[in-house]
Amino acid sequence: MPFMRPVQIVQELGGADVHTSKSGVADHFAENEPEALATCREVLEYVGGTSAAQPEVEPEEPLLDPEELLGLIPEDNSKAFEVRQVIARLVDGSRFHEFKARYGSTLVCGFAHIHGYPVGIVANNGILFGESAQKGAHFVQLCGQRKIPLLFLQNITGFMVGKAYENGGIARDGAKMVNAVSCVDVPKITVIIAGSHGAGNYGMCGRAYDPRFLFTWPNSRISVMGGAQAAEVLATVKQDQLKRQGKAAMTSEQLQEFKQPTLDKYEAEGSPYHSTARLWDDGIIDPRDTRNVLGRCLRICSRAPGSGSTGAYGVFRM
């Protein structure tokens, strides 16, 4: 066994790296005291208040051009992209104070201003794991305590599945996030910027969780699961059925023919035009107009920020 210095052992048992990236006990990592003090100032900038009737700061344009949003989102929703690049083109001065940046990295949470109004942003940067859900629940409750409106940017295929994750309590962790989102007493705004599938739609404040406003982008898709995944599941079930009946398995051409009706159905009914025609959202917006639309929504929400309930408990350390 290699020798480990006492400092290394201490760091592994309870250092800053462990508690900001693995345990999630600490929210921010600082290399030194000046960096820690600067982080504290940023935290205090978003302590919230009793009223959101007026913008907190002077509005300013993002440093990064919102026109570039059209080039950031891939045509294929199955391809990943960096959601922080989207946030940087929506918020004032492209400034984003991230919360637990090193923990549960597939969910990006943090504070910013849009047209001068404070907002807590919850955005997908991949599939939701248990750590991501715990982080989201903690952040949503924190915004509720500080009376800061929430903005959800949805690009989600769902929560992680599999035996190891079920044994690890993904259902419990996901329930914490869903509970926090459904109960928080601040205005909620949702924008579906790419895919919105499965239980991830619930955790990220889909229509059933009563956001004040819900908008979609033209490239977005919404369904219980992606069309390709649904077609693959049905094809697997069919192949297993043929095997039990002692029949030959379908060829690749037959498989494609079998899958095509499902793919076509999901393509048509998962379209944002299909959902908006049924009033499942408040409209399809041009990605480049998102910042201005959100500014108007926050102004409307500021007139009725919530019931004023303080709640019976503080923020849980999930």
Side-chain angles (χ1 to χ4, degrees), residues 50-78:
T50 57
S51 173
Q54 297 297 327
E56 280 192 344
V57 297
E58 189 69 24
E60 58 179 299
E61 292 298 315
L63 291 178
L64 302 180
D65 190 357
E67 292 287 329
E68 296 171 350
L69 285 170
L70 296 185
L72 284 175
I73 310 300
E75 241 180 271
D76 183 356
N77 277 346
S78 65

Side-chain angles (χ1 to χ4, degrees), residues 2-312:
F3 174 76
M4 294 183 66
R5 292 180 298 170
V7 172
Q8 289 177 310
I9 296 174
V10 169
Q11 286 297 318
E12 287 192 359
L13 289 175
D17 180 59
V18 169
H19 288 314
T20 56
S21 64
K22 296 180 181 178
S23 73
V25 169
D27 299 341
H28 303 284
F29 181 93
E31 293 283 358
N32 48 50
E33 189 169 318
E35 185 179 340
L37 291 171
T39 301
C40 288
R41 293 188 183 97
E42 290 180 9
V43 170
L44 291 172
E45 185 179 355
Y46 296 99
V47 294
T50 57
S51 173
Q54 297 297 327
E56 280 192 344
V57 297
E58 189 69 24
E60 58 179 299
E61 292 298 315
L63 291 178
L64 302 180
D65 190 357
E67 292 287 329
E68 296 171 350
L69 285 170
L70 296 185
L72 284 175
I73 310 300
E75 241 180 271
D76 183 356
N77 277 346
S78 65
K79 294 182 179 178
F81 61 89
E82 176 53 68
V83 76
R84 293 178 184 86
Q85 293 294 328
V86 174
I87 294 171
R89 287 160 176 81
L90 299 179
V91 302
D92 291 6
S94 297
R95 289 188 299 274
F96 180 59
H97 175 57
E98 193 165 348
F99 175 78
K100 287 186 182 291
R102 297 161 58 91
Y103 182 74
S105 58
T106 58
L107 188 70
V108 174
C109 303
F111 299 99
H113 288 89
I114 297 178
H115 283 266
Y117 290 95
V119 64
I121 298 175
V122 183
N124 299 120
N125 219 23
I127 197 167
L128 287 173
F129 292 88
E131 296 86 353
S132 315
Q134 291 181 53
K135 170 182 172 178
H138 183 184
F139 182 74
V140 167
Q141 287 190 312
L142 192 63
C143 288
Q145 191 179 63
R146 296 180 180 183
K147 300 301 177 188
I148 294 176
L150 281 157
L151 168 62
F152 295 86
L153 299 178
Q154 284 197 16
N155 175 26
I156 180 66
T157 56
F159 288 88
M160 190 63 187
V161 296
K163 181 178 178 181
Y165 298 102
E166 293 296 341
N167 290 345
I170 185 70
R172 176 197 62 230
D173 298 330
K176 291 175 182 177
M177 183 174 178
V178 169
N179 178 273
V181 170
S182 61
C183 295
V184 68
D185 185 33
V186 295
K188 295 173 287 190
I189 302 170
T190 301
V191 182
I192 302 177
I193 62 175
S196 178
H197 306 293
N201 174 272
Y202 303 151
M204 292 296 293
C205 197
R207 174 55 82 193
Y209 288 78
D210 201 26
R212 298 278 184 94
F213 298 94
L214 188 152
F215 300 102
T216 57
W217 282 3
N219 60 294
S220 66
R221 290 292 182 272
I222 179 169
S223 55
V224 173
M225 62 174 68
Q229 291 90 335
E232 192 64 40
V233 169
L234 291 174
T236 301
V237 171
K238 183 64 176 177
Q239 292 281 53
D240 290 343
Q241 181 186 33
L242 292 173
K243 185 178 180 180
R244 287 195 302 272
Q245 294 172 349
K247 298 179 180 179
M250 288 187 287
T251 65
S252 57
E253 291 79 9
Q254 289 173 325
L255 272 174
Q256 185 57 41
E257 185 179 353
F258 178 82
K259 291 178 182 179
Q260 198 58 51
T262 303
L263 293 171
D264 293 342
K265 182 178 178 66
Y266 270 77
E267 179 62 25
E269 296 186 12
S271 164
Y273 299 97
H274 181 88
S275 61
T276 202
R278 288 153 180 79
L279 303 180
W280 296 346
D281 57 55
D282 296 306
I284 301 172
I285 56 176
D286 188 317
R288 296 167 294 183
D289 294 334
T290 305
R291 170 179 161 79
N292 291 330
V293 170
L294 292 175
R296 289 193 289 271
C297 291
L298 288 168
R299 184 173 184 273
I300 293 168
C301 290
S302 70
R303 280 12 185 203
S307 67
S309 171
T310 57

